[in-house]
Amino acid sequence: MKVVIVGGVAGGATAAARIRRLDERAEITVFERSGYVSYANCGLPYYIGDVISDSEELTLQTPQSFFSRFRVNIKVRHEVTALHPDRKSISVRNLETGDEFEEFYDKLILSPGAKPVQPRLPGVGIKKLFTLRTVEDTFRMKEYINNNHPQSVVLAGGGFIGLELSENLRELGMDVTIVQRPGQLMNPFDADMASFIHNEVRRNGVRLALGRTVEGFEETDGGVKVILKDEEPLCADMVVLAIGVTPDTELAKEAGLEMGIKGSIVVNEQMETSFPDIYAAGDAVQVKHYVTGQDALISLAGPANKQGRIIADNICGGKSHYLGSQGSSVIKVFDVVAATTGVNETNAKKAGLDVDTVILSPMNHAGYYPGGKVMTMKVVFEKETYRLLGAQIVGYDGVDKRIDVLATAIHAGLKATQLKDLDLAYAPPYSSAKDPVNMAGFMIDNISKGILKQWHLEDVSALPRDGSRTLLDVRTTMEYDGGHIDGFINIPVDELRENLDKIEKGKPVYVICQSGLRSYIAARILEGNGYEAYNFSGGFRFYDAVLNDRCLIEKASACGMDRQ
């Protein structure tokens, strides 16, 4: 059996190694357009920032090491120029010699990945404008920084690459501005949770220009001018385009393979394309979202590796299936960790799901053990069924552990109420006896039983201030005096029972505290005394962080720049 693989890195290299482990006699050839067949994509920003200082650390396998261990023929600097499914062959050009030839196959695997979005704007292609996808891109950017010592950079895009680069370039002492059309960074997160990411990047000196449209670039004597729609341009010594990626699938399209959303390759659960004996994996393929069942593009290394393994199994006579992508991811943002899995509230509603959420602010470990820090957790679930849909967490130590537990629970089909039943490891340096995941489950279980009734951030502006509702802040007097929502009276929770006569019966009571815990206790006191009480999800800490962020974004829109 002769297997030809177009593209290395996650999907292609994984498939090649797995095929060899399953079939010692298969003839395996990988054609890779770049000079590197297996490298750490996700580590590229950290090489720019000198966190990874040795360029060889980026290379997981070389053509020589791959051949020595797996007897796989790796042809780097070889570009596949055409697919010929009718005669089961591909056209290849050697980029070093210019020679062209035809290669035949029994099985073909397409792993072309994705390419940075290159908008058709004036100035795209100038020397001081960079993208970051390949090792070669990394070396080009790093060489420019080392030789020219730029003092400022504009990052067009605030996704994974944009955020990771912002941190690494700040560590090099550069003045960093992120500009993008969406009004928030990191679209996998809801806007309210993204506020905590915004706060962290601002705290570290990164300027945000959100909700701005880039209309072009001009090279100047001193650097690059970024032209914005209806605003003054931004000026910097260099610019990085990080506005997203798009499937690199022109060959598949020209060959007549069935194409999906945004030009992706359509595959079935076995990762087979619409043509016999042709498979595809990685950022170039359309997948099903594991939670919603809808078609999706999810460009992450984990799914690409799994897909490559599944293809290898099926080529070698097995029966493996790809069940879909959840989008589980985690990112370091300066000192905080932000992670997500499943579907966020915004996209769940777009998918037509009737959802609710809980927002909590637990400590990463036992409060009495030194060094504890607060994390903000948002869990999304379906009303009525209590199906667990997704989660987002922003915090410090322990965020990755909790998101992985929640990702596993979603994959296993657990209901959100069942999170309370998980038996999770506990010791004071690592967790609490009631783990944050369990706490989310307790809250959702209380909702399912009618013990907890909530009101949310989006309800604040709509709450009538005409006396038809009682608006109650149960924090301490000092906390209340430090800032509160207009229209809320203050009765500390520990004094509530003695002051029930100040709360009129027959009116719903909307309660808030700092994190949501004391207000829940207050709501139970009120319910136990014949009141109808609603607890604010997330607490004043959450409200204050989100509102402050929104004010900064709106102020920046009026002033032309986020001045922190």
Side-chain angles (χ1 to χ4, degrees), residues 508-535:
V509 185
Y510 287 76
V511 193
I512 190 170
C513 72
Q514 189 68 10
S515 68
L517 177 58
R518 284 175 289 173
S519 51
Y520 167 64
I521 294 169
R524 294 311 304 150
I525 292 171
L526 291 165
E527 290 276 350
N529 284 277
Y531 294 86
E532 180 185 1
Y534 296 85
N535 185 33

Side-chain angles (χ1 to χ4, degrees), residues 277-481:
D277 299 318
I278 301 180
Y279 300 77
D283 296 352
V285 304
Q286 174 180 288
V287 297
K288 295 291 184 185
H289 196 288
Y290 187 80
V291 175
T292 67
Q294 295 181 340
D295 294 331
L297 279 176
I298 297 179
S299 300
L300 294 168
N305 277 279
K306 295 182 185 72
Q307 292 159 11
R309 178 185 175 92
I310 287 167
I311 290 171
D313 287 352
N314 292 325
I315 283 177
C316 295
K319 258 192 172 180
S320 289
H321 301 263
Y322 188 67
L323 302 179
S325 296
Q326 275 180 223
S328 301
S329 61
V330 63
I331 183 172
K332 178 182 180 293
V333 185
F334 293 96
D335 293 330
V336 307
V337 181
T340 181
T341 187
V343 63
N344 63 28
E345 180 184 12
T346 305
N347 291 330
K349 288 179 177 177
K350 287 180 181 178
L353 298 172
D354 188 16
V355 302
D356 199 356
T357 66
V358 292
I359 298 169
L360 57 158
S361 303
M363 298 284 282
N364 64 316
H365 60 60
Y368 59 82
Y369 189 86
K373 293 185 178 180
V374 172
M375 65 177 70
T376 303
M377 177 186 294
K378 181 175 184 178
V379 179
V380 185
F381 58 95
E382 190 172 31
K383 292 181 181 178
E384 303 298 332
T385 68
Y386 291 92
R387 181 165 67 110
L388 184 59
L389 301 176
Q392 302 150 64
I393 312 175
V394 181
Y396 301 89
D397 292 342
V399 165
D400 54 339
K401 177 170 79 168
R402 274 62 186 223
I403 208 70
D404 282 343
V405 171
L406 289 160
T408 303
I410 291 171
H411 186 83
L414 295 186
K415 290 186 175 183
T417 50
Q418 292 178 283
L419 296 176
K420 72 182 190 304
D421 302 320
L422 295 179
D423 194 348
L424 303 174
Y426 160 61
Y430 306 110
S431 184
S432 300
K434 296 176 182 178
D435 188 87
V437 174
N438 294 137
M439 289 300 299
F442 295 147
M443 293 171 67
I444 298 168
D445 182 62
N446 282 339
I447 292 172
S448 73
K449 294 173 178 174
I451 296 172
L452 170 62
K453 296 191 285 287
Q454 297 190 112
W455 62 289
H456 297 278
L457 186 67
E458 58 268 25
D459 301 322
V460 173
S461 60
L463 272 182
R465 267 66 169 183
D466 58 1
S468 62
R469 310 276 196 285
T470 298
L471 310 181
L472 178 63
D473 188 322
V474 296
R475 294 176 297 158
T476 64
T477 302
M478 183 179 297
E479 288 174 304
Y480 179 84
D481 290 343

Side-chain angles (χ1 to χ4, degrees), residues 9 46 64 79 161 260 292 318 527:
V9 197
Y46 297 98
Q64 296 76 21
E79 182 178 18
I161 292 296
T292 67
E527 290 276 350

Side-chain angles (χ1 to χ4, degrees), residues 104-240:
F104 291 86
Y105 62 83
D106 295 314
K107 304 288 184 182
L108 178 65
I109 301 173
L110 303 177
S111 181
K115 56 187 176 182
V117 173
Q118 293 272 20
R120 295 181 179 178
L121 296 175
V124 169
I126 62 178
K127 290 183 179 179
K128 296 177 182 177
L129 192 147
F130 300 84
T131 59
L132 187 63
R133 180 203 178 203
T134 66
V135 175
E136 287 89 345
D137 293 336
T138 309
F139 291 162
R140 175 174 166 255
M141 188 186 301
K142 187 63 175 172
E143 182 181 16
Y144 177 83
I145 292 171
N146 289 342
N147 291 340
N148 296 278
H149 308 290
Q151 297 299 303
S152 59
V153 59
V154 169
L155 303 176
F160 286 97
I161 292 296
L163 267 185
E164 289 169 344
L165 270 176
S166 73
E167 176 179 352
N168 282 279
L169 294 175
R170 280 295 294 156
E171 291 297 324
L172 294 179
M174 294 176 66
D175 183 22
V176 179
T177 300
I178 299 177
V179 58
Q180 66 170 24
R181 183 181 299 172
Q184 69 168 84
L185 304 176
M186 294 297 292
N187 282 333
F189 291 78
D190 287 313
D192 51 11
M193 293 296 290
S195 296
F196 293 89
I197 299 173
H198 298 170
N199 293 339
E200 179 66 9
V201 297
R202 288 193 192 99
R203 190 179 69 83
N204 284 276
V206 176
R207 294 184 177 89
L208 298 181
L210 305 179
R212 311 301 206 286
T213 300
V214 176
E215 293 195 324
F217 308 92
E218 292 180 8
E219 190 162 8
T220 65
D221 291 340
V224 184
K225 184 182 291 185
V226 181
I227 310 301
L228 301 179
K229 183 178 180 180
D230 301 327
E231 292 196 31
E232 290 296 312
L234 301 173
C235 296
D237 296 331
M238 61 182 289
V239 172
V240 181

